[in-house]
Amino acid sequence: MMSHKLLTTAGIGALMFGMSTAAFADNWRYAHEEYEGDVQDVFAYAFKEYVEENSDHTVQVFRFGELGESDDIMEQTQNGILQFVNQSPGFTGALIPEAQIFFIPYLLPTDEETVLEFFEESKAINEMFPELYAEQGLELLKMYPEGEMVITTDEPISSPEDLDNKKIRVMTNPLLSETYDAFGATPTPLPWGEVYGGLQTGILDGQENPIFWIESGGLYEVSPHLTFTGHGWFTTAMMANQDFFEGLSEEDQELVREASDAAYDHTIEHIKGLAEESLAKIQEASDEVTVTRLDEEQIQTFRERAPQVEEAYVEMTGEDGKELLEQFKADLEAVTEE
């Protein structure tokens, strides 16, 4: 009937009011790569809490697997299905080759305090990286470290020779493959969802991750020999779809930046001491676990193989990568000399 298709003036007013309210109070979708309680989840929920306490907006968080693997959530963010995504440069490396810089072994120090200071003050991270992400339609809001990388294997290792022919799982990242090739292993790219089974069945002989992820993912159950090689830190990045971000009001842009800062501060406090806590949980849960911390002489045998990875990085990224690497080293020098 015609009357059902017609709106009164009052009805139109109510509809317009509802639309304007919706425009000011949105639900933002945010996906990350980890499980409940892991570092990226802590960051996401701190971001959500700040946004919801300081605006009428809501934030819906999706954890690992809920919307697919890392590549899936990045694609969804670039297409505007998601407004925010947390993805490590390990996966972003195919999209932004320069982001692979974090996989040059022995570039970052292992000392937690120095690493945190570097992320706070680095020109490479805070000025150069946002420009690289912007070229891919992404607004880089925060880069932050999650923890020192630890290698887990089917038997203890203490030298590159011990890694000979071992199939080590790597993210789909050319430079990370180059690193394990330099270390003497056979780099084996595999999606995260297949790693536990791969270790369990012998398709893989080992993998690398921060210790909290080894604990929460139960990797020590199928790959019980942990080796601290001191070769790097796991880094991640939180970003927004750039069209979405630029379409926000100035007030909402400021809200997003403040929420990102608050989440960063909260997460940095969270990771302090996290590695020790996670290792204690692993050792309590399993009698089969061994922990090897390489001494300086043993680390040197791995460090000697790093220059070829650095050369590969420059070959992959050209002048832009070379400039970023030089700035990265200058930033590191500034914080280690203080």
Side-chain angles (χ1 to χ4, degrees):
M1 294 171 62
M2 288 296 290
S3 60
H4 288 163
K5 295 180 182 177
L6 295 174
L7 288 171
T8 64
T9 304
I12 291 171
L15 180 61
M16 294 298 290
F17 177 77
M19 288 174 68
S20 65
T21 304
F24 288 108
D26 293 329
N27 179 57
W28 296 338
R29 293 156 58 88
Y30 179 152
H32 65 74
E33 306 170 306
E34 295 177 356
Y35 298 122
E36 182 177 357
D38 286 336
V39 174
Q40 289 183 23
D41 197 51
V42 168
F43 187 102
Y45 273 87
F47 177 84
K48 170 184 168 73
E49 184 179 329
Y50 188 95
V51 167
E52 293 180 354
E53 284 183 358
N54 292 278
S55 75
D56 291 328
H57 301 307
T58 55
V59 178
Q60 189 175 8
V61 176
F62 298 90
R63 297 177 172 125
F64 173 78
E66 291 179 11
L67 297 176
E69 292 267 356
S70 291
D71 291 345
D72 299 315
I73 59 175
M74 174 55 80
E75 188 177 328
Q76 290 163 32
T77 306
Q78 287 186 294
N79 291 335
I81 298 166
L82 293 170
Q83 284 72 52
F84 300 98
V85 68
N86 212 133
Q87 188 180 67
S88 78
F91 292 107
T92 316
L95 191 66
I96 306 169
E98 294 88 348
Q100 297 177 97
I101 195 167
F102 295 102
F103 295 94
I104 298 174
Y106 300 101
L107 184 59
L108 281 174
T110 53
D111 172 63
E112 185 178 272
E113 192 175 325
T114 307
V115 169
L116 296 181
E117 188 179 351
F118 169 72
F119 273 82
E120 292 274 358
E121 298 183 11
S122 167
K123 179 182 176 183
I125 285 177
N126 297 304
E127 294 180 29
M128 297 173 78
F129 265 115
E131 294 175 7
L132 293 168
Y133 278 72
E135 290 170 9
Q136 300 300 328
L138 298 164
E139 183 75 24
L140 179 62
L141 294 164
K142 282 294 172 188
M143 275 191 150
Y144 59 96
E146 295 195 46
E148 182 183 346
M149 296 302 275
V150 178
I151 301 174
T152 73
T153 45
D154 55 346
E155 56 188 6
I157 61 166
S158 59
S159 69
E161 288 71 30
D162 292 336
L163 282 174
D164 277 353
N165 300 317
K166 287 210 176 288
K167 299 182 291 295
I168 304 296
R169 181 263 176 173
V170 294
M171 291 176 276
T172 49
N173 178 305
L175 201 74
L176 187 56
S177 292
E178 191 76 32
T179 293
Y180 276 94
D181 191 50
F183 284 174
T186 302
T188 309
L190 205 64
W192 168 248
E194 299 173 31
V195 174
Y196 189 98
L199 292 165
Q200 193 172 33
T201 58
I203 292 171
L204 298 171
D205 299 312
Q207 62 84 50
E208 67 158 30
N209 259 302
I211 197 78
F212 79 85
W213 187 242
I214 294 166
E215 188 272 322
S216 70
L219 296 177
Y220 63 90
E221 298 165 352
V222 288
S223 189
H225 302 287
L226 282 54
T227 306
F228 287 76
T229 54
H231 70 278
W233 272 66
F234 190 84
T235 299
T236 194
M238 183 264 192
M239 63 210 90
N241 172 288
Q242 195 170 46
D243 288 341
F244 156 76
F245 184 81
E246 290 179 351
L248 293 174
S249 65
E250 285 186 20
E251 184 183 0
D252 277 347
Q253 286 185 7
E254 186 62 24
L255 170 72
V256 167
R257 293 199 183 281
E258 288 176 355
S260 304
D261 288 342
Y264 177 90
D265 291 343
H266 178 77
T267 304
I268 293 307
E269 284 306 309
H270 173 77
I271 67 171
K272 291 176 181 176
L274 180 61
E276 291 78 8
E277 291 171 23
S278 300
L279 182 57
K281 288 179 184 176
I282 289 171
Q283 290 177 311
E284 188 177 339
S286 173
D287 293 332
E288 293 181 23
V289 167
T290 67
V291 178
T292 304
R293 295 183 186 273
L294 302 188
D295 61 31
E296 190 52 44
E297 189 176 332
Q298 291 169 321
I299 285 173
Q300 187 57 29
T301 63
F302 283 93
R303 188 184 279 119
E304 285 167 359
R305 300 179 178 222
Q308 72 185 71
V309 184
E310 191 171 304
E311 288 169 19
Y313 172 78
V314 173
E315 283 176 21
M316 288 178 194
T317 57
E319 282 303 312
D320 285 349
K322 188 177 179 183
E323 185 183 345
L324 184 69
L325 181 59
E326 287 170 358
Q327 186 61 54
F328 214 86
K329 289 181 174 179
D331 295 342
L332 283 164
E333 195 174 333
V335 296
T336 50
E337 282 185 350
E338 288 178 4

PDB file of all heavy atoms in Angstrom, residues 309-329:
ATOM      1  N   VAL A 309      72.910 -11.175   4.936  1.00  0.00           N
ATOM      2  CA  VAL A 309      71.481 -10.869   5.013  1.00  0.00           C
ATOM      3  C   VAL A 309      71.269  -9.369   4.793  1.00  0.00           C
ATOM      4  O   VAL A 309      70.334  -8.943   4.099  1.00  0.00           O
ATOM      5  CB  VAL A 309      70.887 -11.311   6.365  1.00  0.00           C
ATOM      6  CG1 VAL A 309      69.382 -11.069   6.389  1.00  0.00           C
ATOM      7  CG2 VAL A 309      71.201 -12.774   6.648  1.00  0.00           C
ATOM      8  N   GLU A 310      72.157  -8.577   5.367  1.00  0.00           N
ATOM      9  CA  GLU A 310      72.082  -7.127   5.184  1.00  0.00           C
ATOM     10  C   GLU A 310      72.255  -6.764   3.708  1.00  0.00           C
ATOM     11  O   GLU A 310      71.531  -5.909   3.175  1.00  0.00           O
ATOM     12  CB  GLU A 310      73.156  -6.449   6.032  1.00  0.00           C
ATOM     13  CG  GLU A 310      73.003  -4.953   6.110  1.00  0.00           C
ATOM     14  CD  GLU A 310      73.943  -4.332   7.136  1.00  0.00           C
ATOM     15  OE1 GLU A 310      73.908  -4.733   8.313  1.00  0.00           O
ATOM     16  OE2 GLU A 310      74.709  -3.430   6.730  1.00  0.00           O
ATOM     17  N   GLU A 311      73.184  -7.434   3.050  1.00  0.00           N
ATOM     18  CA  GLU A 311      73.394  -7.199   1.611  1.00  0.00           C
ATOM     19  C   GLU A 311      72.145  -7.567   0.815  1.00  0.00           C
ATOM     20  O   GLU A 311      71.744  -6.858  -0.117  1.00  0.00           O
ATOM     21  CB  GLU A 311      74.588  -8.022   1.113  1.00  0.00           C
ATOM     22  CG  GLU A 311      75.939  -7.504   1.585  1.00  0.00           C
ATOM     23  CD  GLU A 311      77.070  -8.478   1.302  1.00  0.00           C
ATOM     24  OE1 GLU A 311      76.885  -9.367   0.444  1.00  0.00           O
ATOM     25  OE2 GLU A 311      78.137  -8.349   1.936  1.00  0.00           O
ATOM     26  N   ALA A 312      71.521  -8.689   1.187  1.00  0.00           N
ATOM     27  CA  ALA A 312      70.299  -9.120   0.497  1.00  0.00           C
ATOM     28  C   ALA A 312      69.182  -8.103   0.698  1.00  0.00           C
ATOM     29  O   ALA A 312      68.404  -7.836  -0.229  1.00  0.00           O
ATOM     30  CB  ALA A 312      69.868 -10.489   1.013  1.00  0.00           C
ATOM     31  N   TYR A 313      69.121  -7.508   1.900  1.00  0.00           N
ATOM     32  CA  TYR A 313      68.099  -6.500   2.189  1.00  0.00           C
ATOM     33  C   TYR A 313      68.261  -5.302   1.259  1.00  0.00           C
ATOM     34  O   TYR A 313      67.276  -4.819   0.674  1.00  0.00           O
ATOM     35  CB  TYR A 313      68.195  -6.054   3.648  1.00  0.00           C
ATOM     36  CG  TYR A 313      67.303  -4.884   3.985  1.00  0.00           C
ATOM     37  CD1 TYR A 313      65.939  -5.059   4.194  1.00  0.00           C
ATOM     38  CD2 TYR A 313      67.826  -3.593   4.093  1.00  0.00           C
ATOM     39  CE1 TYR A 313      65.111  -3.985   4.494  1.00  0.00           C
ATOM     40  CE2 TYR A 313      67.012  -2.510   4.384  1.00  0.00           C
ATOM     41  CZ  TYR A 313      65.653  -2.714   4.587  1.00  0.00           C
ATOM     42  OH  TYR A 313      64.845  -1.645   4.874  1.00  0.00           O
ATOM     43  N   VAL A 314      69.482  -4.818   1.112  1.00  0.00           N
ATOM     44  CA  VAL A 314      69.737  -3.658   0.257  1.00  0.00           C
ATOM     45  C   VAL A 314      69.415  -3.992  -1.200  1.00  0.00           C
ATOM     46  O   VAL A 314      68.846  -3.173  -1.937  1.00  0.00           O
ATOM     47  CB  VAL A 314      71.189  -3.165   0.422  1.00  0.00           C
ATOM     48  CG1 VAL A 314      71.503  -2.064  -0.593  1.00  0.00           C
ATOM     49  CG2 VAL A 314      71.415  -2.648   1.839  1.00  0.00           C
ATOM     50  N   GLU A 315      69.744  -5.222  -1.621  1.00  0.00           N
ATOM     51  CA  GLU A 315      69.416  -5.641  -2.990  1.00  0.00           C
ATOM     52  C   GLU A 315      67.906  -5.659  -3.216  1.00  0.00           C
ATOM     53  O   GLU A 315      67.411  -5.281  -4.270  1.00  0.00           O
ATOM     54  CB  GLU A 315      69.983  -7.046  -3.252  1.00  0.00           C
ATOM     55  CG  GLU A 315      71.481  -7.066  -3.503  1.00  0.00           C
ATOM     56  CD  GLU A 315      72.012  -8.484  -3.662  1.00  0.00           C
ATOM     57  OE1 GLU A 315      71.207  -9.392  -3.966  1.00  0.00           O
ATOM     58  OE2 GLU A 315      73.223  -8.684  -3.478  1.00  0.00           O
ATOM     59  N   MET A 316      67.164  -6.108  -2.217  1.00  0.00           N
ATOM     60  CA  MET A 316      65.699  -6.210  -2.337  1.00  0.00           C
ATOM     61  C   MET A 316      65.014  -4.851  -2.311  1.00  0.00           C
ATOM     62  O   MET A 316      63.951  -4.674  -2.906  1.00  0.00           O
ATOM     63  CB  MET A 316      65.130  -7.043  -1.174  1.00  0.00           C
ATOM     64  CG  MET A 316      65.401  -8.511  -1.243  1.00  0.00           C
ATOM     65  SD  MET A 316      64.700  -9.319   0.249  1.00  0.00           S
ATOM     66  CE  MET A 316      65.484 -10.930   0.153  1.00  0.00           C
ATOM     67  N   THR A 317      65.601  -3.893  -1.608  1.00  0.00           N
ATOM     68  CA  THR A 317      64.885  -2.636  -1.335  1.00  0.00           C
ATOM     69  C   THR A 317      65.490  -1.408  -2.023  1.00  0.00           C
ATOM     70  O   THR A 317      64.875  -0.336  -1.991  1.00  0.00           O
ATOM     71  CB  THR A 317      64.835  -2.374   0.178  1.00  0.00           C
ATOM     72  OG1 THR A 317      66.184  -2.340   0.689  1.00  0.00           O
ATOM     73  CG2 THR A 317      64.070  -3.477   0.897  1.00  0.00           C
ATOM     74  N   GLY A 318      66.666  -1.535  -2.597  1.00  0.00           N
ATOM     75  CA  GLY A 318      67.269  -0.431  -3.333  1.00  0.00           C
ATOM     76  C   GLY A 318      67.660   0.750  -2.462  1.00  0.00           C
ATOM     77  O   GLY A 318      67.956   0.600  -1.270  1.00  0.00           O
ATOM     78  N   GLU A 319      67.624   1.942  -3.059  1.00  0.00           N
ATOM     79  CA  GLU A 319      68.080   3.152  -2.368  1.00  0.00           C
ATOM     80  C   GLU A 319      67.229   3.479  -1.140  1.00  0.00           C
ATOM     81  O   GLU A 319      67.742   3.933  -0.121  1.00  0.00           O
ATOM     82  CB  GLU A 319      68.103   4.339  -3.335  1.00  0.00           C
ATOM     83  CG  GLU A 319      69.296   4.363  -4.260  1.00  0.00           C
ATOM     84  CD  GLU A 319      70.635   4.355  -3.523  1.00  0.00           C
ATOM     85  OE1 GLU A 319      70.805   5.146  -2.576  1.00  0.00           O
ATOM     86  OE2 GLU A 319      71.497   3.529  -3.866  1.00  0.00           O
ATOM     87  N   ASP A 320      65.923   3.266  -1.260  1.00  0.00           N
ATOM     88  CA  ASP A 320      65.036   3.556  -0.117  1.00  0.00           C
ATOM     89  C   ASP A 320      65.420   2.694   1.082  1.00  0.00           C
ATOM     90  O   ASP A 320      65.485   3.168   2.224  1.00  0.00           O
ATOM     91  CB  ASP A 320      63.571   3.290  -0.479  1.00  0.00           C
ATOM     92  CG  ASP A 320      62.993   4.376  -1.364  1.00  0.00           C
ATOM     93  OD1 ASP A 320      63.654   5.418  -1.514  1.00  0.00           O
ATOM     94  OD2 ASP A 320      61.893   4.187  -1.898  1.00  0.00           O
ATOM     95  N   GLY A 321      65.665   1.406   0.826  1.00  0.00           N
ATOM     96  CA  GLY A 321      66.049   0.496   1.901  1.00  0.00           C
ATOM     97  C   GLY A 321      67.404   0.857   2.482  1.00  0.00           C
ATOM     98  O   GLY A 321      67.601   0.786   3.705  1.00  0.00           O
ATOM     99  N   LYS A 322      68.321   1.248   1.616  1.00  0.00           N
ATOM    100  CA  LYS A 322      69.667   1.624   2.067  1.00  0.00           C
ATOM    101  C   LYS A 322      69.604   2.854   2.977  1.00  0.00           C
ATOM    102  O   LYS A 322      70.238   2.915   4.032  1.00  0.00           O
ATOM    103  CB  LYS A 322      70.560   1.902   0.855  1.00  0.00           C
ATOM    104  CG  LYS A 322      72.021   2.118   1.196  1.00  0.00           C
ATOM    105  CD  LYS A 322      72.839   2.325  -0.068  1.00  0.00           C
ATOM    106  CE  LYS A 322      74.314   2.562   0.278  1.00  0.00           C
ATOM    107  NZ  LYS A 322      75.119   2.829  -0.939  1.00  0.00           N
ATOM    108  N   GLU A 323      68.790   3.826   2.567  1.00  0.00           N
ATOM    109  CA  GLU A 323      68.634   5.051   3.361  1.00  0.00           C
ATOM    110  C   GLU A 323      67.997   4.734   4.718  1.00  0.00           C
ATOM    111  O   GLU A 323      68.416   5.250   5.758  1.00  0.00           O
ATOM    112  CB  GLU A 323      67.756   6.036   2.586  1.00  0.00           C
ATOM    113  CG  GLU A 323      67.617   7.388   3.256  1.00  0.00           C
ATOM    114  CD  GLU A 323      66.682   8.316   2.487  1.00  0.00           C
ATOM    115  OE1 GLU A 323      66.368   8.034   1.316  1.00  0.00           O
ATOM    116  OE2 GLU A 323      66.250   9.320   3.089  1.00  0.00           O
ATOM    117  N   LEU A 324      66.989   3.863   4.705  1.00  0.00           N
ATOM    118  CA  LEU A 324      66.321   3.472   5.948  1.00  0.00           C
ATOM    119  C   LEU A 324      67.291   2.744   6.870  1.00  0.00           C
ATOM    120  O   LEU A 324      67.332   2.996   8.083  1.00  0.00           O
ATOM    121  CB  LEU A 324      65.120   2.578   5.634  1.00  0.00           C
ATOM    122  CG  LEU A 324      64.257   2.162   6.829  1.00  0.00           C
ATOM    123  CD1 LEU A 324      63.487   3.349   7.392  1.00  0.00           C
ATOM    124  CD2 LEU A 324      63.282   1.056   6.433  1.00  0.00           C
ATOM    125  N   LEU A 325      68.088   1.849   6.305  1.00  0.00           N
ATOM    126  CA  LEU A 325      69.060   1.084   7.094  1.00  0.00           C
ATOM    127  C   LEU A 325      70.098   2.011   7.736  1.00  0.00           C
ATOM    128  O   LEU A 325      70.450   1.851   8.913  1.00  0.00           O
ATOM    129  CB  LEU A 325      69.755   0.052   6.204  1.00  0.00           C
ATOM    130  CG  LEU A 325      70.799  -0.850   6.864  1.00  0.00           C
ATOM    131  CD1 LEU A 325      70.203  -1.657   8.009  1.00  0.00           C
ATOM    132  CD2 LEU A 325      71.425  -1.794   5.824  1.00  0.00           C
ATOM    133  N   GLU A 326      70.551   3.010   6.987  1.00  0.00           N
ATOM    134  CA  GLU A 326      71.530   3.966   7.529  1.00  0.00           C
ATOM    135  C   GLU A 326      70.926   4.753   8.686  1.00  0.00           C
ATOM    136  O   GLU A 326      71.582   4.974   9.712  1.00  0.00           O
ATOM    137  CB  GLU A 326      72.007   4.912   6.424  1.00  0.00           C
ATOM    138  CG  GLU A 326      72.950   4.238   5.427  1.00  0.00           C
ATOM    139  CD  GLU A 326      73.238   5.105   4.207  1.00  0.00           C
ATOM    140  OE1 GLU A 326      72.664   6.226   4.111  1.00  0.00           O
ATOM    141  OE2 GLU A 326      74.012   4.659   3.333  1.00  0.00           O
ATOM    142  N   GLN A 327      69.664   5.179   8.525  1.00  0.00           N
ATOM    143  CA  GLN A 327      68.997   5.918   9.594  1.00  0.00           C
ATOM    144  C   GLN A 327      68.766   5.026  10.811  1.00  0.00           C
ATOM    145  O   GLN A 327      68.927   5.442  11.957  1.00  0.00           O
ATOM    146  CB  GLN A 327      67.669   6.487   9.101  1.00  0.00           C
ATOM    147  CG  GLN A 327      66.967   7.391  10.104  1.00  0.00           C
ATOM    148  CD  GLN A 327      67.799   8.607  10.464  1.00  0.00           C
ATOM    149  OE1 GLN A 327      68.233   9.345   9.568  1.00  0.00           O
ATOM    150  NE2 GLN A 327      68.035   8.824  11.753  1.00  0.00           N
ATOM    151  N   PHE A 328      68.383   3.769  10.558  1.00  0.00           N
ATOM    152  CA  PHE A 328      68.158   2.783  11.603  1.00  0.00           C
ATOM    153  C   PHE A 328      69.420   2.642  12.457  1.00  0.00           C
ATOM    154  O   PHE A 328      69.373   2.673  13.692  1.00  0.00           O
ATOM    155  CB  PHE A 328      67.839   1.441  10.929  1.00  0.00           C
ATOM    156  CG  PHE A 328      66.860   0.573  11.669  1.00  0.00           C
ATOM    157  CD1 PHE A 328      65.499   0.733  11.484  1.00  0.00           C
ATOM    158  CD2 PHE A 328      67.289  -0.435  12.511  1.00  0.00           C
ATOM    159  CE1 PHE A 328      64.584  -0.087  12.132  1.00  0.00           C
ATOM    160  CE2 PHE A 328      66.397  -1.257  13.166  1.00  0.00           C
ATOM    161  CZ  PHE A 328      65.028  -1.083  12.975  1.00  0.00           C
ATOM    162  N   LYS A 329      70.554   2.505  11.779  1.00  0.00           N
ATOM    163  CA  LYS A 329      71.833   2.333  12.494  1.00  0.00           C
ATOM    164  C   LYS A 329      72.212   3.588  13.268  1.00  0.00           C
ATOM    165  O   LYS A 329      72.725   3.506  14.390  1.00  0.00           O
ATOM    166  CB  LYS A 329      72.938   1.959  11.502  1.00  0.00           C
ATOM    167  CG  LYS A 329      72.810   0.544  10.953  1.00  0.00           C
ATOM    168  CD  LYS A 329      73.945   0.215  10.001  1.00  0.00           C
ATOM    169  CE  LYS A 329      73.900  -1.232   9.566  1.00  0.00           C
ATOM    170  NZ  LYS A 329      74.997  -1.568   8.623  1.00  0.00           N
TER     171      LYS A 329
END
